[in-house]
Amino acid sequence: MNSLDELRFDNRFARLGDVFSTPVLPDPIAAPRLVVASPEALALLDLDPAQAGQPLFAELFSGHKLWSEAEPRAMVYSGHQFGAYNPRLGDGRGLLLGEVVNARGEHWDLHLKGAGETPYSRMGDGRAVLRSTIREFLASEALHALGIPTSRAACVIGSDTPVYRERKETAAMLLRLAPSHVRFGHFEYFYYTQQHDHLKTLAEHVLHSHFPACAEQPKPYLALFREVVERTAALIARWQAYGFCHGVMNTDNMSILGITFDYGPYAFLDTFDAQYVCNHSDDGGRYSFSNQVPIAHWNLAALAQALTPLIDVDDLRAAMDLFLPFYQAEYLDLMRRRLGLTALREDDEALVQRLLRLMQGSAVDYNLFFRRLGEQAPADALQGLRDDFVDLAGFDAWGADYLERCVPEDPPQRRARMHAVNPLYLLRNYLAQQAIEAAERGDYQDVRHLHQVLARPFDEQPGEARYAEPPPDWGRHLEISCSS
Ligand code: AMP
Ligand code: MG
């Protein structure tokens, strides 16, 4: 385990030069203090979790101090926002501090979110509020614990620096970790500005730094794109299986690594609603829960367009066609496991779709349904769950087919197998909201505790029953604004 001054940097992205990013120093926030840290994320940097308690820790991740090897830079990118092309975005309030290499030889980007104004801040103040950094912290670590690929969050540092949104709030910084911060929008920027040499440099960087196996293929760029298609499909399959709504699937928020990226007004479904829109600025419902699948495909098409100078169009089309079959196979595999089914059958898709139709408009909690289904033998579990459904006859008919489908198995094994994929604890918006309100009063215990519970979502934890409850009436479908 390292201490803070032993981090080793190798800043590959910075070495690409000023065409790709602009040097900017972090602008410190006043009276920095640790709100919460993730020992598991710090371990990726070989950092001892005890380091988070050091005064130096809060100083480093609030912009007051910097390693001499760090090279803070704001990256340039563009992207499609709600379907319309925005030619110039970029890191408006976050800086890539550098890339840390751990003992396993992995590179981890240190990205400080809320680090002040940059050339890409446009009308913004370069800040992030405590509320939004806590939301990103909790979600990053909770999704990771659920097995959903995501950027990680090492810590949140709070401050006394005032920030003005709909009300007066305080600034905070989040240390985000990811193997890369390259987004679909990076490629779009160099494509639409017709800097095709730089587009190629970017593709080479991504290929060699993050997709070395693709570099060995006969058509390396095509292999890279195909891999992005597959990873994105696998990611969206996980979001859909676990009821995660991202909320702002603009192409500048899509990671080239196929990981969940840039958390805004996200939400997990409480009750199932295919049309659920978690972002209250999304009037048209472009990023509704069920639209996440076609939108991911649309975003990949935007990336494909940006790659046309490097890859043959027919090859790109053929790779795009892999998205849906790959998504469906991944999604069905996950849903089968969530239902405790081991064998594969042709009518599995119909079984899942029928269940979702019955859930739509019913009172059943989406994620707890699967947990409770695994808690008892199938017939007993179904009996206990049926009262939450509106269409009782429909549910009974589904239950009969499900029972027939359950291959006779050893019940304790079924329970353990199902519980290993069906979380008991979910990051519900109202839980995040309660923890945030306490943190805004200066009490960080709730945030820290919620983070700990969500780090082991599949394990029943004594004394934590309140986190396993469906939301109270006031906590359902809270709308979250984008002004973070
Ligand atoms: P987001 O909605 O967080 O994905 O941000 C979209 C774009 O707006 C990105 O280029 C951000 O860097 C920029 N941005 C968001 N909030 C701010 C802010 N407070 N100050 C400066 N830029 C911001
Ligand atoms: Mg963004």
Side-chain angles (χ1 to χ4, degrees):
M1 283 287 175
N2 286 331
S3 64
L4 286 162
D5 47 18
E6 288 170 319
L7 295 185
R8 190 161 68 82
F9 285 83
D10 176 27
N11 306 325
R12 299 176 298 187
F13 196 87
R15 287 201 292 275
L16 296 176
D18 292 352
V19 169
F20 296 88
S21 61
T22 310
V24 181
L25 287 175
D27 181 8
I29 46 180
R33 61 258 186 182
L34 178 72
V35 174
V36 61
S38 166
E40 298 86 353
L42 292 174
L44 299 170
L45 308 176
D46 301 328
L47 277 179
D48 181 343
Q51 294 286 313
Q54 305 286 324
L56 178 62
F57 188 88
E59 286 167 357
L60 281 165
F61 302 122
S62 61
H64 287 269
K65 287 206 173 139
L66 206 57
W67 298 266
S68 55
E69 300 87 351
E71 295 176 80
R73 285 177 165 262
M75 295 168 126
V76 62
Y77 52 83
S78 61
H80 281 83
Q81 297 183 310
F82 290 90
Y85 185 65
N86 187 331
R88 199 175 151 96
L89 291 163
D91 289 334
R93 54 159 168 177
L95 295 172
L96 179 60
L97 297 180
E99 296 166 56
V100 164
V101 187
N102 67 16
R104 283 174 286 173
E106 299 164 346
H107 282 66
W108 285 94
D109 279 5
L110 264 51
H111 178 100
L112 195 58
K113 195 164 180 176
E117 281 181 46
T118 78
Y120 313 104
S121 296
R122 296 175 294 160
M123 308 298 279
D125 58 6
R127 293 305 187 194
V129 295
L130 181 62
R131 163 174 59 89
S132 72
T133 52
I134 289 176
R135 280 178 54 82
E136 173 151 356
F137 177 91
L138 289 172
S140 309
E141 296 306 284
L143 264 72
H144 172 74
L146 287 173
I148 304 178
T150 174
S151 60
R152 302 296 301 273
C155 65
V156 172
I157 306 294
S159 80
D160 286 343
T161 300
V163 176
Y164 300 89
R165 297 291 184 260
E166 281 106 353
R167 60 189 167 100
K168 184 177 162 192
E169 302 186 46
T170 56
M173 292 192 197
L174 170 96
L175 183 68
R176 178 163 66 191
L177 308 179
S180 169
H181 275 66
V182 173
R183 307 146 189 262
F184 288 12
H186 276 84
F187 290 91
E188 292 182 283
Y189 174 77
F190 291 105
Y191 171 72
Y192 286 104
T193 53
Q194 296 180 6
Q195 302 182 69
H196 295 175
D197 289 352
H198 297 318
L199 181 74
K200 192 167 178 192
T201 304
L202 180 67
E204 286 290 312
H205 164 77
V206 169
L207 194 59
H208 292 287
S209 301
H210 306 292
F211 296 84
C214 297
E216 308 297 320
Q217 298 286 313
K219 294 181 177 177
Y221 297 137
L222 175 62
L224 166 68
F225 180 68
R226 213 184 273 138
E227 180 74 22
V228 177
V229 170
E230 290 198 2
R231 287 194 195 184
T232 305
L235 175 70
I236 307 300
R238 276 165 181 73
W239 287 2
Q240 301 310 112
Y242 285 98
F244 178 77
C245 315
H246 180 281
V248 203
M249 287 177 70
N250 294 334
T251 56
D252 54 297
N253 292 339
M254 297 289 291
S255 162
I256 200 70
L257 302 180
I259 62 178
T260 314
F261 204 65
D262 260 16
Y263 291 87
Y266 67 80
F268 276 96
L269 294 180
D270 294 316
T271 52
F272 184 81
D273 178 6
Q275 278 80 47
Y276 182 57
V277 179
C278 59
N279 178 352
H280 89 162
S281 323
D282 183 5
D283 298 326
R286 179 181 172 87
Y287 300 137
S288 71
F289 178 65
S290 58
N291 273 1
Q292 296 189 125
V293 183
I295 286 291
H297 188 261
W298 193 96
N299 288 344
L300 285 163
L303 175 63
Q305 179 69 42
L307 293 173
T308 50
L310 303 177
I311 306 173
D312 177 75
V313 173
D314 290 332
D315 282 347
L316 283 168
R317 282 216 182 89
M320 288 290 304
D321 288 343
L322 299 174
F323 176 81
L324 211 53
F326 200 81
Y327 163 78
Q328 272 160 343
E330 284 282 311
Y331 176 73
L332 265 188
D333 181 55
L334 288 163
M335 293 306 280
R336 238 183 246 117
R337 285 195 274 151
R338 297 207 71 180
L339 288 167
L341 305 174
T342 44
L344 205 135
R345 248 173 50 178
E346 224 174 85
D347 52 357
D348 286 345
E349 189 178 355
L351 192 73
V352 170
Q353 291 308 326
R354 274 170 65 205
L355 174 63
L356 296 183
R357 272 198 299 277
L358 289 160
M359 282 182 162
Q360 179 85 32
S362 81
V364 69
D365 185 83
Y366 175 67
N367 274 295
L368 290 180
F369 172 85
F370 297 97
R371 184 78 183 191
R372 289 171 60 194
L373 190 63
E375 193 62 46
Q376 292 170 287
D380 298 334
L382 289 169
Q383 197 55 39
L385 285 161
R386 87 188 277 277
D387 284 351
D388 281 340
F389 285 83
V390 178
D391 178 1
L392 290 178
F395 182 70
D396 289 343
W398 183 87
D401 290 346
Y402 173 72
L403 277 181
E404 186 266 318
R405 182 74 180 71
C406 287
V407 266
E409 282 167 45
D410 175 30
Q413 210 184 319
R414 173 180 182 272
R415 182 175 183 273
R417 215 180 40 235
M418 287 180 73
H419 280 10
V421 291
N422 292 324
L424 180 58
Y425 308 105
L426 264 296
L427 177 57
R428 305 193 186 257
N429 269 341
Y430 89 97
L431 290 175
Q433 193 55 34
Q434 285 177 335
I436 286 165
E437 284 169 18
E440 287 179 339
R441 295 191 299 268
D443 174 1
Y444 305 140
Q445 284 317 310
D446 266 18
V447 174
R448 294 176 185 181
H449 191 73
L450 183 56
H451 161 61
Q452 279 171 7
V453 172
L454 296 173
R456 294 189 293 122
F458 304 110
D459 303 343
E460 192 165 345
Q461 300 169 42
E464 308 299 359
R466 115 175 163 78
Y467 293 100
E469 292 290 315
D473 282 345
W474 67 264
R476 287 178 197 281
H477 294 178
L478 289 180
E479 283 195 339
I480 304 294
S481 87
C482 241
S483 66
S484 57

